[in-house]
Amino acid sequence: MHAHPSEHRLHPIALVLFVGGQLKEVVFLLLTALIGSGGDLFSSLAGVAFFGGLVGLLVVAPAVSRLLTFRYRVGDDELVIRWGWLARKERHIPFGRIQSLDARARVLHRLFGTVEVIIETGGGDEAEGRIAAIPMADFEAMRGRVLEGRRAPALRDAPPVDAGAATMLAELGPRDLLLTGLILNRGMVLVGAAVAIVYELGLGDRITERLLGPAVAERGFFLTVLDLSRGALHPTASELVVGVAMLVGFVMVVRLLSMVFTIVRYHDHRLEQIGGDLRVSCGLLTRSTSTTPIRRIQSLTVREGPWHRLAGRVTVQVATAGGVQFEESAPSRETLAPLLRVAELPRVLEVALDGLAVPREEWRPAARPAARRQLMRSALWWMVPVAVAWWWGVPAGTVATLLMLGSAVAAQRRVRQFRWAAFDGGVAIRTGWLFRRTTIARHDRIQLAVVEESPFDRRHGMAEVAVDTAGSEAPALQFTWLLRSDAVHLARGIDAALARTEFRL
Amino acid sequence: MSDAAPEAAGEWQRLDPRYLRMAKDVAMVRVVIWGVLTGLVAALVWWIATPGTSGTWIVVGVWLLQMIGVGIVWFRRLALWYRHSAWRLDGQFLELRTGVWWRTETRVPRSRIQHTDVGQGPIERRHGLGHLVVYTAGTHHGTVELRGLAHEVALMLRDKLLEGDARAPV
C-alpha cells in the first residue's frame, strides 16, 4: 500500500491514550510481576531493566506501532482508514453507509484541542471506525465532507439545506441540570458502586455497626429485617423514628449523588438540528458530540414520571437502528433530551419525527374488559404470597396486603391511562400510570405487526398487537388491551401502509 | 387439499401432512426416552421401598398411568398444533398462523424482508420436508420461521418472496 497524498496521521497525543488503554489491559500482569518478586524487583539494576523491558514490550511498543501505522483519508465518497504493521488492514466506509459520526473529547483530548472520532454504520455491535485523536478542526472538516457527500446521491429529492446552519432545539442550563439530577434519580448507579467497594474491602460489618447500632450488627441486617417482619422484634418509638429518618436521609443522599452524576454527564447539554441531522453534545469532563440522521430514527419515546409532571418536563429518547452500545461513562445517543420543557416538546417532536404528529382525536382508550381482567389478575397473583405472609407474621402480612391493594389500584390506573392511536403515517401508544411513556413510530420504519391472542384474550374478545421496528434498544410497541376487532383493524392498517412504503436502513 | 400450485390466489394452506408423520416419529422417540427414564425412577423406588405384591402393582400402575397421560398429551398436542397452523402467500405478504392456546398471526411484508433461508434437518430430509426462515430488520420479531413445509414448497416460497426484488442493491 502506498502513502496517499491526502492521508492524515493521528495527533501525537494518541500515544498517551494508547499507553493508557494498553496499561489497563496488562496492569494485572505487571502487578503480579511486581508482587511476585517480593518487592525487590527494584533493588537491583537488572530488576529495574527487566521491569522496564516488560512495560516497554507490553505497553509502549504496541502503542507506538499503532500511532505510527494508523492513517486515515477522507475520499470523495468514502472514508478510508488503515492500520497495522505486520498484519495490515484497510477499511473503506462509504459515506452513504455512515449511520453516525460522533466525537468524544476526554480531558486529555481537550487540553490539546483534539477529539476521538467514532464512526458507526449500524451493522454489528461495535463501531466500524475509531480514530483515537485528531485536531478538532480536522474533525469538523471531515464531518462537513461526510454530510455533503451523503446528501448528494441519497437525498436528491430533499430540499437543499445549509449544512452549516444549526437550529437549537433544547439546551440545559445550570438550574435545569440540577433539576435533571433530582428527577432522573441516577444516584443509585454511584451508590451501587460504593456499596460494592465497601463490601469488597470487608468494611460492611463495621459500617452497619456505626449506622444501625451493635444489636443490628451482631444479628446482621437481613436477619433483623426478617425478625421485624415476623413480629418477633418490637422496636421502640425512638428506634422507629431513627429508622425512618435514616431512610429519608438515604433517599436524599442518593438524589444529591444523582445531581453530581448528571452535572458530570449532561453539563452544557445541547440538542441541535443541522440539516437532516440531530446533534447532541454534552459532558463536563469528557465532552461528546453525537450526530444522528433523522431518517435513521426508528421510534421516539417520551417519558414522564411524577417528578417530571411536577416540574413540567419530559425526557425524550429515540431508538436508532444498529445496536451500538457506548461505554457506561458516555451518554447514550438515544437520549435526545434528558429533561425538556413541555412547551418545547412539540418542536422537538416535529423535527425528530419529520413532521409526523399524533392527531388528538385519534387517541383511543383501553377495551372495556381490560380493567376487570387486570383486577382478577392481580388478585390471583397475590393470593398465595399474602396468605404466606400472614402465616409468617402480622407485620409481613400487613405489608403484603398493602402491596396487593397497591398493585390492584396501580393496575386499574394503568388501564385507565392506556391510550393507543393509529393514524395517517404512523402508530402511537401510551402506557404506564405514575411513570408514563408515549412511543411513536412512523409507518415506513415499522418492520411488521403481529396479532397475539392468549386464552384469556379470547374469553374477553380481546387481542394484542406487537409492532416491531429496527430500533435496537427499544421494546416492541405492545398494544395490549385491544378489542379483537380493533387489533385486527390496527394490524391490517399497518400492513397496508407497509406494502406502500419502502424501508431503507 | 389439492396439490395444485399452493401459492395460487393466496388461500390459506395447511402444513404438509408429512409433517404430522414426522412429528409423530419425534414424539414417539421422546415418549420412549421418557418411559425409560421414569421406568428407571420407578425401579429405584421399588428397590428402595421393597414393597409387597400389592405395592409392586401400585408402582407399576402409577408408571403406566403417567405414561398414558404423557403419551396422550404429546401426540394430541401435535395434531392440535398441526390443525391450528396455516400459512399463505398473499400478494405482498407471507402470512402465518400458529399456536393452539397462545395464538399469533404474523404477516411479513415483502418490502421488509432482508433475506431468507431454507433449511432441512436430517429427520426432515427423510420425510422430504424443509423449513423457511424469513428475516426482517426488526429487533423483536426479526426472525420468522415456518416449519412443516414440503422442501419444494419452501424453495418455491423463497423464490416467490425474492421475486422482483432485483431492485434491492444490498
Side-chain angles (χ1 to χ4, degrees), chain A residues 374-404:
Chain A
Q374 286 306 111
L375 203 62
M376 277 295 286
R377 197 174 139 158
S378 53
L380 284 174
W381 183 259
W382 281 92
M383 214 161 54
V384 175
V386 167
V388 170
W390 277 108
W391 169 80
W392 177 254
V394 175
T398 317
V399 169
T401 309
L402 285 176
L403 282 177
M404 178 181 74

Side-chain angles (χ1 to χ4, degrees), chain A residues 446 451 453 468 471 474 495, chain B residues 103 105 107 112 139-141:
Chain A
I446 293 174
V451 180
E453 229 182 59
D468 202 8
D495 286 345
Chain B
R103 292 180 194 163
E105 209 179 295
R107 300 219 317 166
R112 299 299 193 268
T139 320
H140 303 274
H141 303 269

Side-chain angles (χ1 to χ4, degrees), chain A residues 40-88:
Chain A
D40 54 24
L41 194 58
F42 291 113
S43 61
S44 69
L45 206 63
V48 173
F50 172 73
F51 195 74
L54 199 65
V55 171
L57 200 68
L58 291 175
V59 177
V60 179
V64 170
S65 148
R66 270 167 82 184
L67 178 70
L68 291 183
T69 58
F70 193 96
R71 302 274 194 289
Y72 75 91
R73 157 164 66 89
V74 186
D76 292 334
D77 52 2
E78 62 177 4
L79 200 67
V80 182
I81 52 178
R82 64 187 182 96
W83 69 98
W85 173 46
L86 293 174
R88 290 184 190 161

Side-chain angles (χ1 to χ4, degrees), chain B residues 5-6 18 21 75 96 110 113 120 144 157:
Chain B
R18 282 176 289 178
R21 241 181 294 151
F75 281 98
L96 263 65
R110 198 189 269 203
I113 293 177
Q120 200 180 27
V144 178
L157 265 179

Side-chain angles (χ1 to χ4, degrees), chain A residues 222-381:
Chain A
F222 290 104
L223 219 58
T224 310
V225 171
L226 220 59
D227 282 346
L228 272 174
S229 70
R230 204 169 48 168
L233 277 184
H234 299 281
T236 62
S238 67
E239 275 173 341
L240 272 179
V241 169
V242 170
V244 170
M246 280 179 55
L247 209 65
V248 172
F250 177 73
V251 169
M252 279 165 63
V253 167
V254 171
R255 293 277 165 172
L256 277 177
L257 284 176
S258 174
M259 287 184 189
V260 174
F261 182 81
T262 48
I263 286 172
V264 173
R265 176 175 274 197
Y266 292 125
H267 172 75
D268 194 23
H269 183 283
R270 295 148 182 271
L271 168 64
E272 292 163 295
Q273 180 197 3
I274 298 160
D277 297 308
L278 287 177
R279 183 171 302 166
V280 175
S281 48
C282 63
L284 180 65
L285 301 176
T286 297
R287 187 130 186 98
S288 66
T289 308
S290 66
T291 311
T292 308
I294 289 171
R295 68 190 176 91
R296 306 264 191 212
I297 295 176
Q298 306 295 320
S299 69
L300 180 142
T301 300
V302 180
R303 291 169 177 274
E304 49 164 292
W307 292 96
H308 281 96
R309 282 192 284 281
L310 209 63
R313 310 292 169 101
V314 291
T315 298
V316 181
Q317 293 171 315
V318 292
T320 52
V324 181
Q325 282 281 328
F326 270 92
E327 292 100 285
E328 284 276 317
S329 56
S332 165
R333 72 169 64 260
E334 316 257 307
T335 301
L336 279 190
L339 209 62
L340 186 69
R341 283 189 182 76
V342 170
E344 291 168 347
L345 181 61
R347 218 171 117 232
V348 172
L349 288 186
E350 158 92 28
V351 171
L353 291 170
D354 210 4
L356 185 76
V358 189
R360 229 164 217 291
E361 65 279 5
E362 295 290 348
W363 286 110
R364 303 176 60 183
R368 204 163 268 276
R372 225 185 51 216
R373 252 182 86 180
Q374 286 306 111
L375 203 62
M376 277 295 286
R377 197 174 139 158
S378 53
L380 284 174
W381 183 259

